[in-house]
Amino acid sequence: GIQVEQSPPDLILQEGANSTLRCNFSDSVNNLQWFHQNPWGQLINLFYIPSGTKQNGRLSATTVATERYSLLYISSSQTTDSGVYFCAVESGGSNYKLTFGKGTLLTVNP
Amino acid sequence: DTAVSQTPKYLVTQMGNDKSIKCEQNLGHDTMYWYKQDSKKFLKIMFSYNNKELIINETVPNRFSPKSPDKAHLNLHINSLELGDSAVYFCASSPVLGQDNTEAFFGQGTRLTVV
């Protein structure tokens, strides 16, 4: 099945700093999503982005489908950005399921 | 309005018991899922249902039996609970594959603890 690798596994930032999270995947995808799992365990949809670039406030994401990677940018980080960020993909060979990466644990210190 | 809701949020039970987790979505989606998140936070698919029909059973033990009475509901029943079943279980839904947007939405999770 498709492989999804996220980097870095852990990231510690000072409030106000910028960061880039990366997601590499091993096959073409129909769906790519970024999620934020907050400290209460909720999985919050950030972006649905199988290709192209999207922005939502301080967050933006870019997926280069031909090169099989996606990037999540967080600017001016806040303590509420802390949590685990997951990339998940659905590929033509793995219909009807999202395959998740292992996540990036982000800690933003005040 | 909660889009995907699952109950209960917390479940503590003894080994050997049988328990159920309920899930409902009001998004009009055709496809529903159960995912398991282990202690290392890894999320893995368990089951996928499309229009009440089982599509994926990802080598889950027979003790786990999903039931979809209609497109908006997918319940998970677990028999003879074991310590290793302790995890967070997430329900999710999405539009059917083939549509332009197949974005999946997740419930708030059910933390199951088997003692």
Side-chain angles (χ1 to χ4, degrees):
Chain A
I2 193 168
Q3 304 297 312
V4 182
E5 292 184 2
Q6 291 187 243
S7 59
D10 300 278
L11 186 58
I12 300 175
L13 299 175
Q14 213 59 29
E15 204 167 21
N18 302 329
S19 60
T20 301
L21 282 56
R22 187 175 180 104
C23 172
N24 292 334
F25 42 95
S26 61
D27 202 351
S28 59
V29 298
N30 303 315
N31 176 358
L32 187 146
Q33 292 185 241
W34 283 97
F35 296 91
H36 174 214
Q37 187 166 38
N38 64 21
W40 295 271
Q42 290 178 292
L43 277 169
I44 298 165
N45 288 38
L46 297 178
F47 293 101
Y48 169 81
I49 187 166
S51 63
T53 297
K54 289 186 178 179
Q55 178 151 11
N56 185 1
R58 295 181 296 104
L59 274 59
S60 64
T62 294
T63 297
V64 184
T66 52
E67 297 187 21
R68 298 183 183 168
Y69 73 88
S70 183
L71 301 173
L72 177 69
Y73 305 97
I74 305 174
S75 64
S76 304
S77 58
Q78 300 175 357
T79 55
T80 50
D81 295 331
S82 295
V84 183
Y85 288 80
F86 289 104
C87 169
V89 303
E90 182 176 32
S91 75
S94 303
N95 290 350
Y96 294 104
K97 69 177 182 182
L98 285 173
T99 299
F100 281 77
K102 291 185 178 179
T104 292
L105 175 58
L106 175 65
T107 304
V108 181
N109 292 321
Chain B
D1 283 346
T2 304
V4 183
S5 61
Q6 50 184 111
T7 55
K9 189 170 180 183
Y10 299 98
L11 189 51
V12 181
T13 188
Q14 290 188 324
M15 272 195 308
N17 283 352
D18 303 339
K19 289 294 176 187
S20 292
I21 307 172
K22 295 187 175 181
C23 179
E24 176 181 5
Q25 55 98 359
N26 63 5
L27 296 167
H29 290 162
D30 289 315
T31 309
M32 295 187 72
Y33 314 82
W34 280 107
Y35 286 82
K36 180 179 180 180
Q37 186 172 42
D38 63 21
S39 57
K40 295 184 178 179
K41 299 279 194 184
F42 186 57
L43 277 150
K44 190 170 159 52
I45 186 73
M46 298 174 67
F47 300 103
S48 297
Y49 269 74
N50 185 57
N51 224 341
K52 303 192 296 175
E53 180 184 344
L54 179 65
I55 302 295
I56 289 180
N57 177 343
E58 198 83 344
T59 61
V60 178
N62 290 339
R63 299 182 296 102
F64 290 78
S65 54
K67 292 251 183 335
S68 182
D70 55 59
K71 279 192 339 180
H73 296 84
L74 180 62
N75 304 322
L76 183 64
H77 189 74
I78 316 169
N79 290 327
S80 304
L81 278 154
E82 301 176 357
L83 291 177
D85 297 331
S86 296
V88 181
Y89 293 84
F90 284 95
C91 176
S93 74
S94 73
V96 68
L97 191 67
Q99 295 189 359
D100 287 341
N101 185 330
T102 58
E103 184 175 5
F105 293 85
F106 283 72
Q108 76 272 32
T110 295
R111 181 175 295 277
L112 171 65
T113 303
V114 183
V115 298

